Amino acid sequence: MPSRLKRLLIGRPMKSTELELEKLSKLKALAVLSSDALSSVAYGTEQILIVLVTAGFAAIWYSIPISLAVLGLLLILILSYRQTIFSYPAGGGAYIVAKDNLGVSTGLLAGGSLLVDYILTVAVSSSAGTDAITSAFPALHDDRVLIALTMILFLTIMNLRGITESASVLAIPVYLFVIAIFVLIVSGVFKYITGGIHAEVPEIGTAVSNVSLFLLLKAFSSGCSALTGVEAVSNAIPNFRPPAERNAAATLVMMGTILGTMFIGISLLAYWYGIKPDPENTVVSQIAAATFGRGILYYAVQGVTALILFLAANTAYSAFPLLAFMLAKDKYMPNAFMIRGDRLGFSNGIIFLGIFSAILVTAFDGHTENLIPLYAVGVFIPFTLSQLGMMVRWLKLKTSGWVFRFAINTIGMLTTLAITLIFIFTKFNQVWTVFVFLPIVILLFFQIHRHYMNIASELRINMQQDKPVIKGSTIVVPVAGITRVVMNSLSYAKSLTENVVAVYVGFDDDDIERMEKKWEEWNPGVRLITLRSSYRSIIRPIMKFIETVEWKTAETDHITVLIPQFITKHWWHYILHNQTSLLLRAYLFNQKDVVIATVPYHLQR
Amino acid sequence: MPSRLKRLLIGRPMKSTELELEKLSKLKALAVLSSDALSSVAYGTEQILIVLVTAGFAAIWYSIPISLAVLGLLLILILSYRQTIFSYPAGGGAYIVAKDNLGVSTGLLAGGSLLVDYILTVAVSSSAGTDAITSAFPALHDDRVLIALTMILFLTIMNLRGITESASVLAIPVYLFVIAIFVLIVSGVFKYITGGIHAEVPEIGTAVSNVSLFLLLKAFSSGCSALTGVEAVSNAIPNFRPPAERNAAATLVMMGTILGTMFIGISLLAYWYGIKPDPENTVVSQIAAATFGRGILYYAVQGVTALILFLAANTAYSAFPLLAFMLAKDKYMPNAFMIRGDRLGFSNGIIFLGIFSAILVTAFDGHTENLIPLYAVGVFIPFTLSQLGMMVRWLKLKTSGWVFRFAINTIGMLTTLAITLIFIFTKFNQVWTVFVFLPIVILLFFQIHRHYMNIASELRINMQQDKPVIKGSTIVVPVAGITRVVMNSLSYAKSLTENVVAVYVGFDDDDIERMEKKWEEWNPGVRLITLRSSYRSIIRPIMKFIETVEWKTAETDHITVLIPQFITKHWWHYILHNQTSLLLRAYLFNQKDVVIATVPYHLQR
């Protein structure tokens, strides 16, 4: 049953050779990897305006230069990540680049930061998508956690089904969103030019007395939250069809162009239309209402915006399992993250991401807004480290034209570092937890690594000297009576060695005497040892007996304990049998250095 | 840790020989076994008055003849159960008596009815006790389920600690309750005689026009709910100190006398004081207030009443595990109910009772009042069957004086049958579920029985003909590389037989070639078979390989699969290792008829 359900949800298992077919074309990659970045358009401009409007309506003209600055930063990031893609065609996330050039600890800092961040992305996006739904249908407000969890479950299953298949389903909303926003921008600009909008807006350059540098920096850093998700492409190069790095670079540039155009378009329209941020009505919604009126086009824009916010989480589903795979390959995360599942995705990473984001959503009761700054810091730390790593790389390699490339990465590094610091200084009370979590995560990485290294050295053998050695063998068979099961076990034991001893635990002298007599009568050719238990426990006397056997023969013999076990026809029949054998097995396994052989007895009825 | 916690809660394990010391003296038995019956005094009279008052205040004089009728029934029950005790000194609950004289099915009907009833008892009593507490402290009203569950947990732990010890703790409230009620009755009677009460009450014999026979029967059956719990002593004879049946009979008579006196006393006072039932103020509370005024004595009576209601559940804790033991001994319930725990109680029965009553309390959100009629029917069905069984017994045995004894049981049978029928007819909508549940429970009993009988016949051997047979042996060792673990496993396998084969699953040709070369280089003296897995699964190719081995050698050889297993130093290290070996073990175990030997490898670091 469970396996049939799995088949239904996830699909048939796929051969390893089908992996190539699972790889992404540029257009599909754009859909899978850019939903996080593109969805930022839905709130980027608004984040800037919210900060500026605290200094009065006159200050909103600053949104234009700030948007241009964000656009400049986007350009720098795209250029520098393009360089990374070609330098690390096997997949160059911040983890690889930082580890390669700045050392393991820095790499783990970048990697850990991103891993935590992907979990936050899923939690925040699914909550934001839920908000969009419950704004439209207020009756659902009490079920917000349930809705968010359902979406996480849906994304998890889609991603377990495999990359291509989920891309096919999930690409449509991304394309629809891009089309909707472009139609909005073109119509909006057309309406503005033809004089259809009559809003009074402060002119660019107007002096505003209470605008401080701190405020502008805060507005800028808020706007930079629109850039999260840009790194996804460079992490996911192995998912591209060959030539992977070319396709990845092209996809990155495509994404940057679309994102930049949409972002600046929305910012311009917001300024021209004189839009004030309103908690009840998003900036995009106001623009759409002013452009189209509250008709079918307006609701179309709102609908796809809600969808894309949901799907932003999907980027994390592509990036997290790959990053976890890389960390696991380097032995900083459990091996389990290296296994490809039935559908060739890294199932354990996908499931882990789903579970932890679901926990976050539940713990925060669906109100994950406070996690947004944390999430931005979690992106800009690896951004900075990755650029710094590239700088070191150019200095080391000095390939032709390295000075120009070094310059790009230096500018990138300085800007992203600045933004990280601005985030930390302007929103410390919301981001301090990062300084608690990251060290713990990195410590865990190191502990896992040490464990794997220790074990590897413990298990290593010298192929010339270490060979299997033949010893004697003693087999202990605990018996509870004289039955077919005991007969089978003794047959098995006697087939392997002459040293077989049966052991029986009795609760009183009569009991023991009766058993000894019956055994003599049966005469199976195996010696019976009887033990008396004062405490009605079967386990303890047997454990003690095995200690004695170990003490006598461990030097010369392998000791095997034979445990017969019923296999019932129906699972619920198990409750009808005392699970002493399971208990004995668990005790022996944890406390003794003996081989435990389970002799199955399949019950026919 | 868990075992230390268990020790703290339950106490040190006890030797089987300490069982005699655990047995109950008459006084302690009275406390342990009578709390259910005695607590009925707190609501018995009230149940009668509630029914009568629906026909007007003038009808309340009927409470005196009805109480006398209940008293008469009590006398009959005590006499007939006394006869049962001497006839079945090994413990003669309704199950034993009915099974012995009326056949297995009837016995199971009685037994199943009682088992379900004990669970109801615990649920109802803990809820009633909680009501008493929350009436005193209304602030706790929202935590009623939590309080009831805490009480169930407390009773479960006390009973796991052992019979004597829980008797010592739980006896005090029972004694206090008896003393309090007797003080109340004596003071009340004294006050009435000395003319301290001036209530206008309808004279006995007054004609009341709208009193129907149906009403009187309903009032009588309601009053009979005071008799639940009387059977507890006869179920628990094995718990008494020798001479067990004498002590049990004496305890039964003691309990009957106390119960009868208290019941008739409360009924008389209620009539003399002209008390009307009031949902906000119980009859006992009204009598106590009228007798003592609302002073310290009043609160003492109320306090011990609340306590005894709670402890009524404890009777079920004594009776349920014993009855379950008897059913398990006859193979109608899982063997697990036959095991005495560390403290010599039947732990599984105690835990089962605790869990199921906790589920009931939670499912009904602490409002278990509606279960009361169900619970009364559940008692009177076995009452009737037990008396019927005794009647058959006298007819069969015809010992001296049997006619008199037969007469007592016949009267008892007819009255309890009548009460059962009255319950069913007057409260059908509350008790119909019993006709759904009981058949299911009895069907389960029979299915369990059939399973055990089938298995016994399947496992039985002919001691003269069936002896262990020696066959050949083939050992399969799945290997994942060349490590110390593999070397150990091969050493073990080679010590047992010459027919050892190692099997390796590779994911591609390079992988397989590399392994074959290394194996040749190592040359451990064991043949290596390599398998190629297209689906990245290790389990499936190995399962197929073992099928082939089975097909070739199962006739002549025992097949053993050797599975190496890491035992890590810290439990959390387990997540760092792929649990392929556990998975392989589970698959083999369920699907193949091979012996699975686990070779432990204790990691040092």
Side-chain angles (χ1 to χ4, degrees), chain A residues 159-172:
Chain A
N159 280 281
L160 286 175
R161 284 193 76 91
I163 301 167
T164 320
E165 216 161 317
S166 75
S168 313
V169 173
L170 304 176
I172 300 158

Side-chain angles (χ1 to χ4, degrees), chain B residues 496-514:
Chain B
L496 289 174
T497 172
E498 283 298 298
N499 293 330
V500 181
V501 54
V503 52
Y504 175 79
V505 179
F507 293 145
D508 54 51
D509 296 334
D510 291 357
D511 184 14
I512 289 175
E513 203 176 309
R514 221 177 305 127

Side-chain angles (χ1 to χ4, degrees), chain B residues 47-99:
Chain B
Q47 295 289 321
I48 299 175
L49 290 175
I50 285 172
V51 177
L52 289 176
V53 91
T54 57
F57 184 64
I60 68 160
W61 71 264
Y62 282 108
S63 68
I64 297 304
I66 288 176
S67 294
L68 289 172
V70 173
L71 200 65
L73 179 58
L74 174 65
L75 184 71
I76 292 168
L77 281 178
I78 297 289
L79 286 177
S80 72
Y81 268 106
R82 219 180 143 264
Q83 294 185 166
T84 310
I85 287 172
F86 285 109
S87 301
Y88 292 92
Y95 166 63
I96 301 283
V97 178
K99 189 188 72 166

